[in-house]
């Protein structure tokens, strides 16, 4: 969340930011409550000082005055306790309101209401394929090679679940191996994360797991939830921890299953593997010093580009518009791969994103760092980025590498793990 002092001192800028993001928030009310909280804190501290002063005098006054001083002390303590309760109630109310206020936005992010206002800033090294035949979508290709089974998935777990079979499994494992190996070579620490997390961790990352419009599966009668991304668990690893400045940046690559309700998702563009209830993802996450985060954000974007260039998949990079940013993101880039079988004649489809969340998540999760020789601690910056979301990467690889006879060429970087150069 945002720093309260910053909100009070920059109320107009925070209000404008909320408007650009399409978020309704009464910033003036938050500022008024914060000023009341400060006044209550000052009142409680003053009453505490008075009570201490009276207590110090009890042993010095005449015996007949001591009961009067004791009663005065009791009254002051009662008043102090009430002022503290009032302060604490205001504190909780401000926290609840601030939790709904989004992060500030990078000044270069395009202002717009939704993804139609995203700004294309780059293209990948691979050109959009020009087929001399009508390309098939990944579901048709999957049927030809018996690789994807939604019917069995529905029998076992319901609509939106699926089985991968045969070469699709080899492709999935190859994509994981390639992405993790690529990132380990760049100094990222590999982590296999839990598939569940406590509600307070999800709140800290910026998810609302049990609201009316949640995309999160929650486990009944517990505070556990199935994670929608390893960003949740990787960010939660250092909840309430203090890191040393020398440790930063700390770069992690996590592998997890991801679970999403995908409520309301429908239409041809969302069919098949594009929006599913479970998939595997390789996720990048970084904890950094504040002056490192902008450069690390560009590094994460560059790594995503390296991965999809190596997979020989056409893509474009977009700078995400204010209205399409998640609450914690200061700035976000998306990679959109060309998917020949999506829509009529092919469409761009998001395959990765990377966000700089500055200190927004760290404040909520209380993740700090200290500098050797300095007093106090500071909030770290957090960043995240998708290396490979397997389900969507499968779509992009299968559809862009299909051949006229229905076979699928394996990208060169995956051949060592798949064990063949072509499917079919």
């Amino acid at each position: 969340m945002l720093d309260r002092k910053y909100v009070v001192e920059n109320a107009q800028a925070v209000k404008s930011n909320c408007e650009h993001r399409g978020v309704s928030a009464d910033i003036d009310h938050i500022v008024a409550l914060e000023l009341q909280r400060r006044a209550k804190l000052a009142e409680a501290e003053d009453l505490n000082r008075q009570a201490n002063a009276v207590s110090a005098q009890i042993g010095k006054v005449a015996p007949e005055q001591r009961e009067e001083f004791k009663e005065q002390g009791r009254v002051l303590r009662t008043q102090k306790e009430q002022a503290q309760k009032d302060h604490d109630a205001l504190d909780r109310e401000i926290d609840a309101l601030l939790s709904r206020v989004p992060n500030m936005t990078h000044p270069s992010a395009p202002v717009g209401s939704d993804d139609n206002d995203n700004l294309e800033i780059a293209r990948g090294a691979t050109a959009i394929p020009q087929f001399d035949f009508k390309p098939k979508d990944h579901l048709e290709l999957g049927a030809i090679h018996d690789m994807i089974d939604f019917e069995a998935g529905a029998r076992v777990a319901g609509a939106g679940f699926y089985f991968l079979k045969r070469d699709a499994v080899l492709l999935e494992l190859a994509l994981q191996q390639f992405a993790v190996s690529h990132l380990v070579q760049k100094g990222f620490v590999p982590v296999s994360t839990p598939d569940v997390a406590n509600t307070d961790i999800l709140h800290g990352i910026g998810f609302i797991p049990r609201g009316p419009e949640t995309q999160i599966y929650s486990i009944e009668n517990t505070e556990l939830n199935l994670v929608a991304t390893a960003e949740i668990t990787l960010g939660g690893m250092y909840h309430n921890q203090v890191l040393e400045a020398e440790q930063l940046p700390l770069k992690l690559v996590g592998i997890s299953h991801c679970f999403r309700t995908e409520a309301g998702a429908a239409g041809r563009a969302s069919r098949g593997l594009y929006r599913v209830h479970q998939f595997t993802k390789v996720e990048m996450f970084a904890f950094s010093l504040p002056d490192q985060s902008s450069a690390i954000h560009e590094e994460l974007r560059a790594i995503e580009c390296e991965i999809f260039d190596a997979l020989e998949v056409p893509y474009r990079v977009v700078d995400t518009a204010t209205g399409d940013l998640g609450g914690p993101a200061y700035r976000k880039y998306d990679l959109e791969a060309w998917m020949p079988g999506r829509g009529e004649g092919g469409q761009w489809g998001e395959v990765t994103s990377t966000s700089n969340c500055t200190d927004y998540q760290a404040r909520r999760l209380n993740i700090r760092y200290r500098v050797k020789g300095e007093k106090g601690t500071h909030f770290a910056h957090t960043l995240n980025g998708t290396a490979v979301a397997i389900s969507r990467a499968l779509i992009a690889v299968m559809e862009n590498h299909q051949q006229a006879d229905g076979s699928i060429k394996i990208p060169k970087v995956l051949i060592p793990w798949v064990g063949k150069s072509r499917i079919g």
Side-chain angles (χ1 to χ4, degrees):
M1 64 181 67
L2 295 179
D3 177 35
R4 294 178 182 189
K5 182 180 179 183
Y6 180 88
V7 173
V8 170
E9 295 176 355
N10 301 273
Q12 187 54 52
V14 175
K15 282 192 274 189
S16 297
N17 184 61
C18 289
E19 290 170 6
H20 290 159
R21 287 183 176 238
V23 174
S24 177
D26 191 344
I27 303 303
D28 290 334
H29 182 52
I30 293 173
V31 170
L33 289 175
E34 172 60 9
L35 296 178
Q36 290 176 41
R37 183 198 68 80
R38 293 178 185 180
K40 277 295 176 185
L41 179 61
E43 180 184 344
E45 289 173 344
D46 183 56
L47 288 166
N48 192 52
R49 282 192 296 270
Q50 291 182 50
N52 289 339
V54 169
S55 294
Q57 293 299 314
I58 291 174
K60 301 176 183 179
V61 299
E64 62 270 18
Q65 293 181 290
R66 288 175 185 170
E67 200 56 43
E68 177 186 345
F69 270 70
K70 288 179 182 178
E71 178 60 25
Q72 187 180 352
R74 281 193 290 269
V75 170
L76 288 168
R77 294 287 182 198
T78 300
Q79 291 174 340
K80 180 261 179 184
E81 288 171 6
Q82 185 58 53
Q84 187 65 49
K85 286 180 181 178
D86 293 343
H87 166 273
D88 293 347
L90 286 166
D91 195 50
R92 289 191 295 271
E93 184 177 0
I94 294 164
D95 267 350
L97 293 171
L98 271 178
S99 70
R100 301 185 184 98
V101 177
N103 200 355
M104 298 303 288
T105 308
H106 192 286
S108 297
V111 176
S113 58
D114 55 33
D115 59 1
N116 292 316
D117 298 305
N118 291 348
L119 178 65
E120 181 180 323
I121 57 174
R123 288 277 179 110
T126 304
I128 293 174
Q130 301 300 313
F131 297 112
D132 56 5
F133 58 90
K134 184 180 179 181
K136 298 175 176 61
D137 69 15
H138 68 286
L139 290 176
E140 295 172 287
L141 294 165
I144 291 171
H145 304 292
D146 192 23
M147 297 195 302
I148 308 168
D149 193 337
F150 274 93
E151 290 184 6
R155 286 195 296 271
V156 170
F161 292 92
Y162 56 94
F163 283 85
L164 295 180
K165 299 189 295 184
R166 305 182 191 278
D167 290 321
V169 176
L170 300 181
L171 265 178
E172 175 181 37
L173 296 173
L175 285 163
Q176 291 181 54
Q177 289 275 21
F178 166 61
V180 171
S181 298
H182 187 74
L183 285 157
V184 168
Q185 289 173 12
K186 290 181 175 291
F188 284 70
V189 177
V191 180
S192 180
T193 84
D195 285 340
V196 295
N198 282 313
T199 297
D200 61 338
I201 300 298
L202 273 77
H203 281 153
I205 292 294
F207 286 83
I208 304 174
R210 295 171 192 249
E213 298 180 3
T214 185
Q215 293 289 324
I216 300 294
Y217 286 105
S218 295
I219 300 174
E220 192 174 12
N221 300 322
T222 77
E223 283 300 311
L224 291 174
N225 310 270
L226 301 183
V227 300
T229 166
E231 175 191 353
I232 294 168
T233 41
L234 293 172
M237 280 182 74
Y238 292 96
H239 176 45
N240 286 333
Q241 301 299 300
V242 178
L243 302 168
E244 301 298 332
E246 294 77 23
Q247 292 177 262
L248 304 177
L250 175 58
K251 301 175 186 177
L252 309 173
V253 51
I255 308 168
S256 77
H257 294 114
C258 303
F259 303 87
R260 303 184 184 186
T261 66
E262 293 293 1
R268 178 173 172 79
S270 297
R271 69 195 291 260
L273 291 173
Y274 193 79
R275 290 196 186 278
V276 287
H277 294 316
Q278 178 182 337
F279 58 96
T280 302
K281 183 147 73 89
V282 179
E283 179 80 1
M284 300 178 284
F285 200 92
F287 300 90
S288 82
L289 300 174
D291 62 0
Q292 297 170 333
S293 64
S294 290
I296 293 172
H297 193 209
E298 297 301 322
E299 178 186 353
L300 297 184
R301 181 184 77 157
I303 291 170
E304 292 176 345
C305 293
E306 289 168 7
I307 289 171
F308 278 84
D309 281 336
L311 294 174
E312 303 166 62
V313 167
Y315 65 84
R316 65 178 184 175
V317 182
V318 298
D319 198 351
T320 306
T322 53
D324 198 35
L325 286 173
Y330 173 64
R331 192 178 197 181
K332 181 164 81 82
Y333 299 119
D334 287 346
L335 256 64
E336 297 178 347
W338 181 253
M339 298 180 178
R342 189 167 188 247
E344 295 298 328
Q347 289 180 5
W348 299 107
E350 181 193 330
V351 287
T352 76
S353 66
T354 177
S355 300
N356 182 358
C357 297
T358 62
D359 62 358
Y360 188 90
Q361 292 174 328
R363 284 182 184 278
R364 298 160 74 105
L365 290 167
N366 192 31
I367 301 171
R368 297 170 175 267
Y369 70 91
R370 60 177 154 239
V371 179
K372 188 178 294 184
E374 292 184 7
K375 289 185 177 180
T377 58
H378 314 275
F379 288 108
H381 278 202
T382 61
L383 304 98
N384 64 82
T386 309
V388 174
I390 301 298
S391 55
R392 293 190 180 182
L394 283 174
I395 297 174
V397 169
M398 291 169 64
E399 292 186 0
N400 282 287
H401 291 282
Q402 64 180 291
Q403 306 299 302
D405 61 359
S407 64
I408 303 167
K409 288 180 65 177
I410 304 297
K412 291 178 183 178
V413 293
L414 300 184
I415 291 174
W417 287 290
V418 177
K420 61 175 79 173
S421 61
R422 184 183 296 259
I423 295 172

